Amino acid sequence: MDGSNQSGVSEFLLLGLSESPEEQHVLFWMFLSMYLVTVVGNVLIILAIGFDSRLHTPMYFFLANLSFTDLFFVTNTIPKMLVNIQSQNKAISYARCLTQLYFLVSLVALDNLILATMAYDRYVAICRPLHYTTAMSSRLCILLLALCWVFSVLYGLIHTLLMTRVTFCGSRKIHYIFCEMYVLLRLACSNTQVNHTVLIATGSFIFLTPLGFMIMSYVWIVKAILQIPSASSKYKAFSTCASHLAVVSLFYGTLCMVYLQPLHTYSMKDSVATVMYAVVTPMMNPFIYSLRNKDMHRALGRLLLGKVFQRLT
């Protein structure tokens, strides 16, 4: 990728959420804390699932990959932002900005597709329990994950390549913490109608189609749960979906606020929403999935305490 685009811009300035030194100090420690919690939480989820053979099931296979995606996602953006605040050097090269944009767009799409795959897993587990082992075979799980990666990589490539056609001839200042799609498009001095049209079209496909699939899956899941005669069995069946529903609601709630709108309406409140899906959601996912999950509690206990935990259980 070239170091500059056709307009000669070689770098941008990431100004962050505030230019006040006092507020930057607060933001540094806040984002550093959130980043460390996100890294530790997602690494623990991955290690617990990897080392506990009892968690080698489709649901936890996809959960481990979701944690890996979230870990990669925050590492793509937050460390650079922390370095910028600490060093007071706000510059990011054109090539690095587009690289950051590519991974940002690709990983958001991957997160979304993995969540849809997890919804399908819950649908099969609750609506077709007798066929679960054969329906969710290891081969199918790997195939589904591979398809998630392929679609995500293509989605990121499309928007990154389209961004290379955009001319930047005015301000190089990005009033945000990373190179986000809408922020860059607002800095453009060339026609961005194609970018915006493709963004809406592909975004609707890559995000709304899986969302519709998840809604339909949960319609069938709720119908199946309501037919269970035992109240305790109903609660147990619903509890296996509650964590996934919470993550999907948080993810889509913030995502729709940002991207499913006209470009000219993008404002500072949408920057806050972007922080929600870019930082808060990856941080909260490990807590949401492990908070009331006894299998994860035991796996984390064995991972952290080893033989001491085994004697206690």
Side-chain angles (χ1 to χ4, degrees):
M1 190 178 292
D2 293 336
S4 62
N5 72 341
Q6 58 182 318
S7 64
V9 173
S10 60
E11 65 180 19
F12 294 99
L13 298 176
L14 289 173
L15 299 182
L17 297 176
S18 172
E19 296 186 60
S20 166
E22 293 77 13
E23 291 181 0
Q24 283 192 353
H25 182 75
V26 174
L27 288 171
F28 174 83
W29 288 108
M30 182 183 74
F31 280 109
L32 176 61
S33 301
M34 294 171 74
Y35 177 67
L36 292 176
V37 170
T38 303
V39 170
V40 171
N42 283 288
V43 167
L44 285 177
I45 292 290
I46 294 169
L47 292 177
I49 293 172
F51 282 103
D52 195 328
S53 59
R54 282 164 287 196
L55 298 185
H56 293 176
T57 63
M59 181 178 75
Y60 292 108
F61 169 75
F62 292 120
L63 177 56
N65 280 277
L66 182 69
S67 290
F68 172 78
T69 305
D70 288 340
L71 185 62
F72 195 179
F73 187 89
V74 295
T75 302
N76 176 51
T77 55
I78 303 304
K80 174 61 178 173
M81 182 269 292
L82 295 174
V83 170
N84 285 358
I85 295 177
Q86 192 69 10
S87 66
Q88 294 300 310
N89 179 12
K90 310 297 184 182
I92 181 171
S93 69
Y94 175 79
R96 185 167 183 176
C97 186
L98 288 193
T99 301
Q100 190 180 78
L101 174 67
Y102 166 75
F103 284 112
L104 178 68
V105 172
S106 299
L107 292 171
V108 170
L110 182 60
D111 235 13
N112 168 68
L113 293 172
I114 291 177
L115 287 173
T117 307
M118 294 174 76
Y120 175 69
D121 171 74
R122 291 299 83 206
Y123 161 76
V124 176
I126 294 175
C127 299
R128 300 177 60 195
L130 298 179
H131 303 282
Y132 182 74
T133 304
T134 53
M136 294 300 295
S137 63
S138 299
R139 184 176 179 180
L140 178 62
C141 290
I142 294 173
L143 176 61
L144 289 173
L145 182 64
L147 288 173
C148 291
W149 274 96
V150 169
F151 281 118
S152 302
V153 167
L154 290 175
Y155 181 71
L157 278 174
I158 289 171
H159 291 294
T160 306
L161 291 175
L162 282 175
M163 189 62 72
T164 62
R165 299 173 65 252
V166 174
T167 302
F168 300 97
C169 54
S171 174
R172 298 179 295 118
K173 295 180 179 179
I174 299 176
H175 293 273
Y176 201 48
I177 60 175
F178 50 73
C179 294
E180 199 270 335
M181 178 78 71
Y182 270 18
V183 175
L184 287 176
L185 290 178
R186 292 201 67 171
L187 291 178
C189 56
S190 59
N191 192 323
T192 60
Q193 188 60 43
V194 174
N195 297 70
H196 189 58
T197 301
V198 174
L199 181 62
I200 295 296
T202 57
S204 298
F205 172 75
I206 207 81
F207 292 103
L208 295 186
T209 301
L211 177 61
F213 175 79
M214 283 187 272
I215 292 173
M216 289 303 300
S217 296
Y218 274 105
V219 168
W220 288 106
I221 287 172
V222 170
K223 286 183 178 179
I225 291 176
L226 292 177
Q227 293 175 1
I228 300 175
S230 169
S232 59
S233 298
K234 285 182 180 179
Y235 175 79
K236 184 177 180 180
F238 179 75
S239 64
T240 63
C241 306
S243 299
H244 182 260
L245 276 172
V247 171
V248 168
S249 299
L250 181 61
F251 179 82
Y252 270 97
T254 54
L255 204 64
C256 290
M257 287 173 60
V258 178
Y259 291 113
L260 295 183
Q261 61 171 307
L263 176 61
H264 66 273
T265 64
Y266 191 84
S267 63
M268 189 61 190
K269 68 179 179 62
D270 300 303
S271 297
V272 176
T274 308
V275 171
M276 287 292 292
Y277 86 74
V279 184
V280 177
T281 301
M283 181 184 70
M284 293 302 299
N285 283 355
F287 294 100
I288 293 173
Y289 276 106
S290 62
L291 189 62
R292 302 181 66 180
N293 189 318
K294 293 181 180 179
D295 292 332
M296 282 303 306
H297 287 175
R298 285 191 285 266
L300 289 170
R302 283 187 288 269
L303 177 67
L304 297 173
L305 302 177
K307 294 182 179 180
V308 175
F309 183 83
Q310 292 179 3
R311 294 194 194 101
L312 294 174
T313 56

